[in-house]
Amino acid sequence: MIKEIVKDIVFLEQKSELATKDDIEVVNDLIDTLRANLDHCVGMAANMIGIKKRILVFTVGDTIIPMINPIILKKEMPYKTEESCLSLTGFRETIRYEKIEVEYFDINFKKHKQVFIGFTAQIIQHEVDHFEGIII
């Protein structure tokens, strides 16, 4: 189901909790909501739709990839960039890493460990920041 985007800074600054198998519907809602916003959005965290769970989705080409309880294990090659967010107005400067290693669960709760580079790595870092209440 497509959900409304949360813009309440006080809510967005709260930390997210670990997701469980009972939160699969949140994954589906995130996918639907990202799909509805693809013309101006490449990734979303669950708190952006009002759910404080560690779930994110992002695009790779035409595919939407969900991650449940992702943890960034390694970060390499920092760089400065500007980002925007559906929950905020405008662009903000931040530091991101060109290469990251992430451990996460897929929608079937199968564990993965994977390296991401470039823009995909940047999207994941932005959404993981949402889990910690860091808003860019």
Side-chain angles (χ1 to χ4, degrees):
M1 175 182 294
I2 298 170
K3 299 290 188 174
E4 186 174 331
I5 304 301
V6 172
K7 297 180 185 286
D8 178 355
I9 300 300
V10 174
F11 179 83
L12 293 169
E13 288 177 335
Q14 297 176 35
K15 291 191 177 193
S16 297
E17 303 169 3
L18 289 175
T20 68
K21 291 179 182 179
D22 293 334
D23 296 311
I24 293 303
E25 197 53 43
V26 176
V27 177
N28 295 324
D29 290 346
L30 265 177
I31 290 169
D32 291 345
T33 306
L34 178 55
R35 189 169 284 119
N37 288 280
L38 281 178
D39 60 332
H40 55 280
C41 184
V42 292
M44 297 184 73
N47 69 344
M48 294 174 68
I49 61 168
I51 308 292
K52 291 186 291 186
K53 293 289 185 161
R54 298 179 72 88
I55 302 169
L56 66 84
V57 294
F58 64 95
T59 60
V60 175
D62 293 333
T63 305
I64 296 176
I65 310 290
M67 287 184 165
I68 299 169
N69 299 328
I71 299 170
I72 298 174
L73 302 172
K74 292 182 189 174
K75 302 175 184 179
E76 298 177 23
M77 301 178 288
Y79 65 95
K80 253 187 205 182
T81 190
E82 282 191 346
E83 296 177 351
S84 63
C85 181
L86 275 183
S87 292
L88 303 171
T89 303
F91 286 80
R92 287 154 186 81
E93 239 183 47
T94 189
I95 301 291
R96 294 293 180 215
Y97 295 84
E98 180 67 27
K99 181 178 178 183
I100 61 172
E101 182 177 28
V102 182
E103 186 174 86
Y104 66 96
F105 293 92
D106 64 20
I107 198 164
N108 298 311
F109 269 80
K110 181 180 176 199
K111 191 180 241 183
H112 299 269
K113 189 186 288 188
Q114 191 171 350
V115 172
F116 296 91
I117 60 170
F119 190 54
T120 301
Q122 183 178 338
I123 298 166
I124 294 167
Q125 291 168 80
H126 178 102
E127 305 313 335
V128 167
D129 276 356
H130 272 287
F131 301 153
E132 298 304 319
I134 301 167
I135 45 180
I136 298 298

